[in-house]
Coordinates of all heavy atoms in Angstrom, one line a residue:
M95 N -17.6 -7.7 32.0 CA -18.1 -9.0 32.4 C -18.2 -9.8 31.1 O -19.0 -9.5 30.2 CB -19.4 -8.9 33.1 CG -19.9 -10.2 33.7 SD -18.9 -10.9 35.0 CE -19.6 -12.5 35.2
A96 N -17.5 -10.9 31.0 CA -17.6 -11.7 29.8 C -18.8 -12.6 29.8 O -19.4 -12.9 30.8 CB -16.3 -12.6 29.7
A97 N -19.2 -12.9 28.6 CA -20.4 -13.7 28.4 C -20.1 -15.1 28.9 O -19.0 -15.6 28.8 CB -20.8 -13.8 26.9
P98 N -21.1 -15.8 29.4 CA -20.9 -17.2 29.8 C -20.5 -18.1 28.6 O -20.9 -17.8 27.5 CB -22.2 -17.6 30.4 CG -23.2 -16.5 30.3 CD -22.5 -15.4 29.6
L99 N -19.8 -19.1 28.8 CA -19.3 -20.0 27.7 C -20.5 -20.8 27.2 O -21.3 -21.4 28.0 CB -18.2 -20.9 28.2 CG -16.9 -20.2 28.5 CD1 -15.9 -21.2 29.0 CD2 -16.3 -19.5 27.3
P100 N -20.5 -21.0 25.9 CA -21.6 -21.9 25.3 C -21.2 -23.4 25.6 O -20.1 -23.7 25.8 CB -21.5 -21.6 23.8 CG -20.2 -21.0 23.6 CD -19.7 -20.4 24.9
D101 N -22.3 -24.2 25.7 CA -22.0 -25.6 25.8 C -22.7 -26.4 24.7 O -23.0 -25.8 23.7 CB -22.5 -26.1 27.2 CG -24.0 -25.8 27.4 OD1 -24.7 -25.7 26.4 OD2 -24.4 -25.8 28.6
A102 N -23.0 -27.6 24.9 CA -23.5 -28.5 23.9 C -24.9 -28.1 23.4 O -25.3 -28.4 22.2 CB -23.6 -29.9 24.3
N103 N -25.6 -27.3 24.2 CA -27.0 -26.9 23.9 C -27.1 -25.5 23.6 O -28.2 -25.0 23.2 CB -27.9 -27.3 25.0 CG -27.9 -28.8 25.3 OD1 -28.0 -29.6 24.3 ND2 -27.8 -29.2 26.5
T104 N -26.1 -24.7 23.8 CA -26.2 -23.2 23.6 C -25.1 -22.7 22.7 O -24.2 -23.4 22.4 CB -26.1 -22.5 25.0 OG1 -24.8 -22.9 25.6 CG2 -27.2 -22.9 25.9
R105 N -25.3 -21.5 22.3 CA -24.3 -20.8 21.4 C -24.4 -19.3 21.7 O -25.4 -18.8 22.3 CB -24.5 -21.1 20.0 CG -25.9 -20.6 19.4 CD -26.1 -21.0 18.0 NE -25.0 -20.6 17.1 CZ -24.8 -20.9 15.9 NH1 -25.7 -21.8 15.3 NH2 -23.8 -20.5 15.1
W106 N -23.4 -18.6 21.2 CA -23.4 -17.1 21.4 C -24.2 -16.5 20.3 O -24.2 -16.9 19.1 CB -22.0 -16.6 21.4 CG -21.2 -16.8 22.6 CD1 -21.7 -16.8 23.9 CD2 -19.8 -17.0 22.8 NE1 -20.7 -17.0 24.8 CE2 -19.5 -17.1 24.2 CE3 -18.8 -17.0 21.9 CZ2 -18.3 -17.3 24.7 CZ3 -17.5 -17.2 22.4 CH2 -17.2 -17.3 23.7
R107 N -24.8 -15.4 20.7 CA -25.5 -14.5 19.7 C -25.2 -13.1 20.1 O -25.3 -12.7 21.3 CB -27.0 -14.8 19.7 CG -27.8 -13.9 18.7 CD -29.2 -14.3 18.8 NE -30.0 -13.5 17.8 CZ -30.3 -12.2 18.0 NH1 -30.1 -11.6 19.2 NH2 -31.0 -11.5 17.1
C108 N -24.9 -12.2 19.1 CA -24.7 -10.8 19.4 C -26.1 -10.2 19.4 O -26.7 -10.2 18.3 CB -23.8 -10.2 18.4 SG -23.7 -8.4 18.6
G109 N -26.5 -9.6 20.5 CA -27.8 -8.9 20.5 C -27.8 -7.6 19.7 O -28.8 -7.1 19.4
G110 N -26.6 -7.1 19.4 CA -26.5 -5.9 18.7 C -26.8 -6.0 17.2 O -27.5 -5.2 16.6
C111 N -26.3 -7.1 16.6 CA -26.4 -7.2 15.1 C -26.9 -8.6 14.7 O -27.1 -8.8 13.5 CB -25.1 -6.9 14.4 SG -23.8 -8.1 14.7
G112 N -27.0 -9.5 15.6 CA -27.5 -10.9 15.2 C -26.4 -11.8 14.8 O -26.7 -13.0 14.5
N113 N -25.1 -11.4 14.9 CA -24.0 -12.3 14.5 C -24.0 -13.6 15.4 O -24.2 -13.5 16.6 CB -22.7 -11.5 14.7 CG -21.5 -12.4 14.6 OD1 -21.5 -13.4 13.9 ND2 -20.5 -12.1 15.4
L114 N -23.9 -14.7 14.7 CA -23.8 -16.0 15.5 C -22.5 -16.7 15.3 O -22.2 -17.7 16.0 CB -24.9 -16.9 14.9 CG -26.4 -16.6 15.1 CD1 -27.3 -17.4 14.2 CD2 -26.7 -16.8 16.6
T115 N -21.7 -16.3 14.4 CA -20.5 -17.1 14.0 C -19.1 -16.5 14.2 O -18.2 -17.3 14.2 CB -20.7 -17.5 12.5 OG1 -20.8 -16.3 11.8 CG2 -21.9 -18.4 12.3
R116 N -19.0 -15.2 14.5 CA -17.7 -14.7 14.5 C -17.5 -13.8 15.7 O -18.1 -12.7 15.9 CB -17.4 -13.9 13.2 CG -17.2 -14.8 12.0 CD -17.1 -14.0 10.7 NE -16.7 -14.9 9.6 CZ -17.6 -15.6 9.0 NH1 -18.8 -15.7 9.4 NH2 -17.2 -16.4 8.0
F117 N -16.6 -14.2 16.6 CA -16.3 -13.5 17.9 C -14.8 -13.5 18.1 O -14.1 -14.4 17.8 CB -17.0 -14.2 19.0 CG -18.5 -14.3 18.8 CD1 -19.1 -15.4 18.3 CD2 -19.3 -13.3 19.3 CE1 -20.4 -15.5 18.1 CE2 -20.7 -13.4 19.1 CZ -21.3 -14.5 18.5
D118 N -14.3 -12.4 18.7 CA -13.0 -12.3 19.2 C -13.1 -12.7 20.7 O -13.8 -12.0 21.5 CB -12.4 -10.9 19.1 CG -12.0 -10.6 17.7 OD1 -11.4 -11.5 17.0 OD2 -12.2 -9.5 17.2
V119 N -12.3 -13.7 21.1 CA -12.3 -14.2 22.5 C -11.0 -13.9 23.1 O -10.0 -14.4 22.6 CB -12.7 -15.7 22.6 CG1 -12.7 -16.2 24.0 CG2 -14.0 -16.0 21.9
T120 N -10.9 -13.1 24.1 CA -9.7 -12.8 24.9 C -9.7 -13.7 26.1 O -10.7 -13.6 26.9 CB -9.6 -11.3 25.3 OG1 -9.6 -10.6 24.1 CG2 -8.3 -11.1 26.0
R121 N -8.8 -14.6 26.3 CA -8.8 -15.5 27.4 C -7.3 -15.7 28.0 O -6.4 -15.6 27.2 CB -9.4 -16.8 27.1 CG -8.7 -17.6 26.0 CD -9.4 -18.9 25.8 NE -8.8 -19.6 24.6 CZ -9.2 -20.8 24.2 NH1 -10.2 -21.4 24.9 NH2 -8.7 -21.4 23.2
T122 N -7.3 -15.9 29.2 CA -6.0 -16.2 29.9 C -6.0 -17.6 30.3 O -7.0 -18.1 30.9 CB -5.9 -15.3 31.2 OG1 -6.0 -14.0 30.9 CG2 -4.6 -15.6 31.9
R123 N -5.0 -18.3 29.9 CA -4.9 -19.8 30.2 C -3.6 -20.0 30.9 O -2.5 -19.5 30.5 CB -4.9 -20.6 28.9 CG -6.2 -20.5 28.1 CD -6.1 -21.3 26.8 NE -6.5 -22.7 27.1 CZ -6.5 -23.7 26.2 NH1 -6.1 -23.4 25.0 NH2 -6.9 -24.9 26.6
R124 N -3.7 -20.9 31.9 CA -2.5 -21.3 32.7 C -2.3 -22.7 32.3 O -3.1 -23.6 32.6 CB -2.7 -21.1 34.1 CG -1.5 -21.4 35.0 CD -1.7 -20.8 36.4 NE -0.5 -21.1 37.2 CZ -0.4 -22.3 37.9 NH1 -1.4 -23.1 37.9 NH2 0.7 -22.5 38.6
T125 N -1.1 -23.0 31.7 CA -0.9 -24.4 31.2 C 0.4 -24.9 31.7 O 1.4 -24.2 32.0 CB -0.9 -24.4 29.7 OG1 0.2 -23.6 29.2 CG2 -2.2 -24.0 29.1
T126 N 0.5 -26.3 31.7 CA 1.8 -27.0 31.9 C 2.0 -27.7 30.6 O 1.2 -28.5 30.2 CB 1.7 -27.9 33.1 OG1 1.4 -27.2 34.3 CG2 3.0 -28.7 33.3
E127 N 3.2 -27.5 30.1 CA 3.6 -28.1 28.8 C 4.8 -29.0 28.9 O 5.7 -28.7 29.7 CB 3.8 -27.0 27.8 CG 2.7 -26.1 27.5 CD 3.0 -25.0 26.5 OE1 4.2 -24.6 26.5 OE2 2.1 -24.5 25.9
F128 N 4.7 -30.1 28.1 CA 5.9 -31.0 28.0 C 6.7 -30.5 26.8 O 6.2 -30.6 25.6 CB 5.5 -32.4 27.8 CG 6.6 -33.4 27.5 CD1 7.9 -33.2 27.9 CD2 6.3 -34.4 26.6 CE1 8.9 -34.1 27.6 CE2 7.3 -35.3 26.3 CZ 8.6 -35.1 26.7
W129 N 7.9 -29.9 27.0 CA 8.7 -29.4 25.9 C 9.7 -30.5 25.6 O 10.5 -30.9 26.5 CB 9.4 -28.1 26.2 CG 8.5 -26.9 26.3 CD1 7.2 -26.9 26.5 CD2 8.9 -25.6 26.0 NE1 6.7 -25.6 26.4 CE2 7.8 -24.8 26.1 CE3 10.2 -25.0 25.7 CZ2 7.8 -23.4 26.0 CZ3 10.2 -23.6 25.6 CH2 9.1 -22.8 25.7
H130 N 9.8 -31.0 24.4 CA 10.7 -32.0 24.0 C 11.7 -31.4 23.0 O 11.4 -31.0 21.9 CB 9.9 -33.2 23.3 CG 10.8 -34.3 22.9 ND1 10.3 -35.5 22.5 CD2 12.1 -34.5 23.0 CE1 11.3 -36.4 22.2 NE2 12.4 -35.8 22.5
F131 N 13.0 -31.3 23.5 CA 14.0 -30.7 22.7 C 14.7 -31.8 21.9 O 14.9 -32.9 22.3 CB 15.1 -30.1 23.6 CG 14.6 -28.8 24.3 CD1 13.8 -28.9 25.5 CD2 14.9 -27.6 23.8 CE1 13.3 -27.7 26.1 CE2 14.4 -26.4 24.4 CZ 13.7 -26.5 25.5
D132 N 15.2 -31.4 20.6 CA 16.0 -32.3 19.9 C 17.5 -31.9 20.1 O 17.8 -30.9 20.9 CB 15.7 -32.2 18.4 CG 15.8 -30.8 17.8 OD1 16.6 -30.0 18.3 OD2 15.2 -30.6 16.7
L133 N 18.4 -32.6 19.5 CA 19.8 -32.3 19.8 C 20.3 -31.0 19.4 O 21.2 -30.4 19.9 CB 20.7 -33.4 19.1 CG 20.4 -34.8 19.7 CD1 21.3 -35.9 19.0 CD2 20.8 -34.9 21.2
A134 N 19.6 -30.4 18.4 CA 20.0 -29.1 17.9 C 19.5 -27.9 18.8 O 19.9 -26.8 18.7 CB 19.4 -28.8 16.5
G135 N 18.6 -28.3 19.7 CA 18.1 -27.3 20.7 C 16.7 -26.7 20.4 O 16.2 -25.9 21.0
D136 N 16.1 -27.2 19.3 CA 14.8 -26.8 18.9 C 13.8 -27.7 19.7 O 14.1 -28.9 20.0 CB 14.5 -27.0 17.4 CG 15.4 -26.0 16.6 OD1 15.6 -24.9 17.1 OD2 15.8 -26.5 15.6
H137 N 12.6 -27.2 20.0 CA 11.7 -28.0 20.8 C 10.3 -28.0 20.1 O 9.9 -27.2 19.4 CB 11.6 -27.5 22.2 CG 10.7 -26.2 22.3 ND1 11.3 -25.0 22.1 CD2 9.4 -26.1 22.6 CE1 10.3 -24.1 22.3 NE2 9.2 -24.7 22.6
E138 N 9.6 -29.0 20.5 CA 8.2 -29.1 20.2 C 7.4 -29.3 21.5 O 7.9 -30.0 22.4 CB 7.9 -30.3 19.2 CG 8.2 -30.0 17.8 CD 7.8 -31.2 16.9 OE1 6.9 -31.9 17.3 OE2 8.5 -31.4 15.9
V139 N 6.2 -28.8 21.5 CA 5.3 -29.0 22.7 C 4.6 -30.3 22.4 O 3.7 -30.3 21.5 CB 4.4 -27.8 22.9 CG1 3.4 -28.1 24.1 CG2 5.2 -26.5 23.2
E140 N 4.8 -31.3 23.1 CA 4.2 -32.6 22.9 C 3.0 -32.9 23.7 O 2.2 -33.7 23.4 CB 5.2 -33.7 23.1 CG 6.4 -33.7 22.1 CD 7.1 -35.0 22.0 OE1 6.9 -35.9 22.8 OE2 7.9 -35.1 21.0
E141 N 2.8 -32.1 24.8 CA 1.7 -32.3 25.6 C 1.4 -31.0 26.3 O 2.3 -30.2 26.7 CB 2.0 -33.3 26.7 CG 0.9 -34.1 27.2 CD 1.4 -35.2 28.2 OE1 2.1 -36.2 27.7 OE2 1.2 -35.1 29.4
S142 N 0.1 -30.7 26.4 CA -0.3 -29.4 27.1 C -1.5 -29.7 28.0 O -2.5 -30.2 27.5 CB -0.6 -28.3 26.1 OG -1.0 -27.2 26.7
T143 N -1.4 -29.3 29.2 CA -2.5 -29.5 30.2 C -2.9 -28.1 30.6 O -2.1 -27.3 31.1 CB -2.1 -30.3 31.4 OG1 -1.5 -31.5 30.9 CG2 -3.2 -30.6 32.3
T144 N -4.2 -27.8 30.5 CA -4.7 -26.5 31.0 C -5.1 -26.6 32.5 O -5.9 -27.4 32.9 CB -6.0 -26.1 30.2 OG1 -5.7 -26.1 28.8 CG2 -6.6 -24.8 30.7
Q145 N -4.4 -25.8 33.2 CA -4.6 -25.8 34.7 C -5.8 -24.9 35.1 O -6.6 -25.2 36.0 CB -3.4 -25.3 35.4 CG -2.1 -26.0 35.0 CD -2.1 -27.4 35.5 OE1 -3.0 -27.9 36.2 NE2 -1.0 -28.2 35.1
S146 N -5.9 -23.8 34.4 CA -7.0 -22.9 34.6 C -7.2 -22.0 33.4 O -6.3 -21.8 32.6 CB -6.8 -22.0 35.8 OG -5.7 -21.1 35.6
E147 N -8.4 -21.5 33.2 CA -8.7 -20.7 32.0 C -9.8 -19.7 32.4 O -10.7 -20.0 33.1 CB -9.3 -21.6 30.9 CG -9.7 -20.9 29.7 CD -10.1 -21.9 28.6 OE1 -10.7 -22.9 28.9 OE2 -9.8 -21.6 27.4
E148 N -9.6 -18.5 32.0 CA -10.5 -17.4 32.3 C -10.8 -16.6 31.0 O -9.9 -16.1 30.4 CB -10.0 -16.5 33.4 CG -11.0 -15.6 33.9 CD -10.4 -14.7 35.0 OE1 -9.4 -15.1 35.6 OE2 -10.9 -13.6 35.3
V149 N -12.0 -16.5 30.6 CA -12.4 -15.7 29.5 C -12.6 -14.3 29.9 O -13.4 -14.0 30.9 CB -13.7 -16.3 28.8 CG1 -14.1 -15.3 27.7 CG2 -13.4 -17.7 28.3
E150 N -11.8 -13.4 29.4 CA -11.9 -12.0 29.8 C -12.9 -11.2 29.0 O -13.6 -10.3 29.6 CB -10.5 -11.3 29.7 CG -9.5 -11.9 30.7 CD -8.1 -11.5 30.4 OE1 -8.0 -10.4 29.8 OE2 -7.2 -12.2 30.8
S151 N -13.0 -11.4 27.7 CA -14.0 -10.7 27.0 C -14.4 -11.5 25.7 O -13.6 -12.2 25.1 CB -13.5 -9.3 26.6 OG -12.4 -9.4 25.7
V152 N -15.6 -11.3 25.3 CA -16.1 -11.8 24.0 C -16.6 -10.6 23.2 O -17.5 -9.9 23.7 CB -17.2 -12.9 24.2 CG1 -17.7 -13.4 22.9 CG2 -16.7 -14.0 25.1
T153 N -16.0 -10.4 22.0 CA -16.4 -9.2 21.2 C -16.9 -9.7 19.9 O -16.3 -10.5 19.2 CB -15.2 -8.3 21.1 OG1 -14.7 -8.0 22.3 CG2 -15.6 -7.0 20.3
C154 N -18.0 -9.1 19.4 CA -18.6 -9.4 18.1 C -17.6 -8.8 17.0 O -17.2 -7.7 17.1 CB -19.9 -8.7 18.0 SG -20.7 -8.9 16.4
R155 N -17.3 -9.7 16.0 CA -16.5 -9.3 14.9 C -17.2 -8.3 14.0 O -16.5 -7.6 13.2 CB -16.0 -10.5 14.1 CG -15.0 -11.4 14.8 CD -13.6 -10.8 14.8 NE -13.0 -10.8 13.5 CZ -11.8 -10.6 13.2 NH1 -10.9 -10.5 14.2 NH2 -11.3 -10.6 12.0
W156 N -18.5 -8.3 14.0 CA -19.2 -7.5 13.1 C -19.4 -6.1 13.6 O -19.1 -5.1 12.9 CB -20.6 -8.2 12.7 CG -20.5 -9.4 11.9 CD1 -19.3 -9.9 11.4 CD2 -21.5 -10.2 11.4 NE1 -19.6 -11.0 10.6 CE2 -21.0 -11.2 10.7 CE3 -22.9 -10.2 11.6 CZ2 -21.8 -12.2 10.1 CZ3 -23.7 -11.1 11.0 CH2 -23.1 -12.2 10.3
C157 N -19.9 -6.0 14.8 CA -20.3 -4.6 15.2 C -19.4 -4.1 16.4 O -19.5 -3.0 16.8 CB -21.7 -4.5 15.6 SG -22.2 -5.4 17.2
G158 N -18.5 -5.0 16.9 CA -17.5 -4.6 17.9 C -18.1 -4.5 19.3 O -17.4 -4.1 20.2
R159 N -19.3 -4.9 19.5 CA -19.9 -4.8 20.9 C -19.4 -6.0 21.7 O -19.4 -7.2 21.2 CB -21.4 -4.8 20.8 CG -21.9 -3.4 20.3 CD -23.4 -3.4 20.4 NE -23.9 -3.4 21.8 CZ -25.2 -3.2 22.1 NH1 -26.1 -3.1 21.1 NH2 -25.6 -3.2 23.3
S160 N -19.1 -5.8 23.0 CA -18.8 -6.9 23.9 C -19.8 -6.9 25.0 O -19.7 -7.8 25.9 CB -17.4 -6.7 24.4 OG -17.3 -5.4 25.1
D161 N -20.8 -6.0 25.0 CA -21.7 -5.9 26.1 C -23.1 -6.5 25.7 O -24.0 -6.5 26.5 CB -21.9 -4.5 26.6 CG -22.4 -3.6 25.4 OD1 -22.3 -4.0 24.3 OD2 -22.9 -2.5 25.7
A162 N -23.1 -7.1 24.5 CA -24.4 -7.5 24.0 C -24.4 -9.0 23.6 O -25.4 -9.5 23.0 CB -24.9 -6.7 22.8
I163 N -23.3 -9.7 24.0 CA -23.2 -11.1 23.7 C -24.1 -11.9 24.6 O -23.9 -11.8 25.9 CB -21.8 -11.6 23.7 CG1 -20.8 -10.7 23.0 CG2 -21.7 -13.0 23.2 CD1 -21.2 -10.5 21.5
E164 N -25.0 -12.7 24.1 CA -25.9 -13.5 24.9 C -25.9 -15.0 24.5 O -25.5 -15.3 23.4 CB -27.3 -12.9 24.8 CG -27.8 -12.9 23.4 CD -29.0 -12.0 23.2 OE1 -29.3 -11.2 24.1 OE2 -29.7 -12.2 22.1
L165 N -26.2 -15.8 25.5 CA -26.4 -17.2 25.2 C -27.8 -17.5 24.7 O -28.8 -17.1 25.3 CB -26.1 -18.0 26.5 CG -24.7 -18.4 26.8 CD1 -24.7 -19.3 28.1 CD2 -24.0 -19.1 25.7
V166 N -27.9 -18.3 23.6 CA -29.2 -18.7 23.1 C -29.1 -20.2 22.9 O -28.0 -20.8 22.7 CB -29.6 -18.0 21.8 CG1 -29.8 -16.5 22.1 CG2 -28.6 -18.2 20.7
A167 N -30.3 -20.8 22.9 CA -30.3 -22.3 22.7 C -30.0 -22.5 21.2 O -30.5 -21.8 20.3 CB -31.7 -22.8 23.0
R168 N -29.2 -23.6 20.9 CA -28.9 -23.9 19.5 C -30.2 -24.3 18.8 O -30.3 -23.9 17.6 CB -27.9 -25.1 19.5 CG -26.6 -24.7 20.0 CD -25.6 -25.8 19.7 NE -24.3 -25.7 20.4 CZ -23.2 -26.4 20.1 NH1 -23.3 -27.3 19.2 NH2 -22.1 -26.2 20.8
A169 N -31.0 -25.0 19.4 CA -32.3 -25.5 18.7 C -33.1 -24.3 18.3 O -33.7 -24.3 17.2 CB -33.1 -26.4 19.6
E170 N -33.1 -23.3 19.1 CA -33.9 -22.1 18.9 C -33.4 -21.4 17.6 O -34.2 -21.0 16.8 CB -33.7 -21.2 20.1 CG -34.6 -20.0 20.2 CD -34.3 -19.2 21.4 OE1 -34.4 -19.8 22.5 OE2 -34.0 -18.0 21.3
V171 N -32.1 -21.3 17.5 CA -31.5 -20.7 16.3 C -31.8 -21.5 15.1 O -32.1 -20.9 14.0 CB -29.9 -20.5 16.5 CG1 -29.3 -20.1 15.2 CG2 -29.7 -19.5 17.6
D172 N -31.6 -22.8 15.1 CA -31.8 -23.6 14.0 C -33.3 -23.4 13.4 O -33.5 -23.4 12.3 CB -31.6 -25.1 14.3 CG -30.1 -25.4 14.5 OD1 -29.3 -24.5 14.1 OD2 -29.8 -26.4 15.2
A173 N -34.2 -23.3 14.4 CA -35.6 -23.2 14.0 C -35.9 -21.9 13.3 O -36.8 -21.9 12.4 CB -36.5 -23.3 15.2
T174 N -35.2 -20.9 13.6 CA -35.5 -19.6 13.0 C -34.7 -19.3 11.7 O -35.1 -18.4 10.9 CB -35.2 -18.4 14.0 OG1 -33.8 -18.5 14.4 CG2 -36.1 -18.5 15.2
T175 N -33.6 -20.1 11.4 CA -32.8 -19.8 10.3 C -33.1 -20.8 9.1 O -32.6 -20.6 8.0 CB -31.3 -19.8 10.6 OG1 -31.0 -21.0 11.3 CG2 -31.0 -18.6 11.5
S176 N -33.7 -21.9 9.4 CA -33.8 -22.9 8.4 C -35.3 -22.9 7.8 O -36.1 -22.2 8.3 CB -33.5 -24.3 8.9 OG -34.4 -24.6 10.0
Ligands
LIG163 ZN1 -22.6 -7.7 16.7

């Protein structure tokens, strides 16, 4: 079960080691892209629209745990680290 996504007021914190800044996020995205080809046959993606997105796992880069990632309030973190 992946951790809920952080928003404007929250952030991730690893309950195992206290990491706040580095996570591996595995996610599946379904997108529709506008591919613009040039005459040589190379292309660039000029537009991309995400149709759906699912986060499968969030893993701490420091201790490797994916079962201890929790949402905490950003304000709460700022108060304890500054
Ligand atoms: Zn950790």
Side-chain angles (χ1 to χ4, degrees):
M95 186 65 191
L99 292 178
D101 59 23
N103 299 312
T104 58
R105 65 185 301 172
W106 281 328
R107 177 181 182 280
C108 174
C111 69
N113 169 33
L114 290 166
T115 53
R116 288 172 173 78
F117 301 92
D118 284 321
V119 180
T120 302
R121 60 181 175 177
T122 302
R123 300 179 82 185
R124 185 165 177 272
T125 59
T126 299
E127 296 175 336
F128 170 35
W129 287 27
H130 185 171
F131 289 82
D132 63 20
L133 293 177
D136 296 321
H137 76 276
E138 281 185 27
V139 178
E140 294 199 345
E141 207 177 292
S142 178
T143 306
T144 300
Q145 308 291 356
S146 66
E147 180 176 37
E148 191 179 338
V149 175
E150 292 170 27
S151 69
V152 181
T153 305
C154 175
R155 289 281 293 194
W156 287 0
C157 71
R159 287 185 68 176
S160 59
D161 61 343
I163 311 302
E164 57 196 14
L165 273 185
V166 294
R168 291 192 193 191
E170 191 180 303
V171 170
D172 292 341
T174 55
T175 54
S176 59

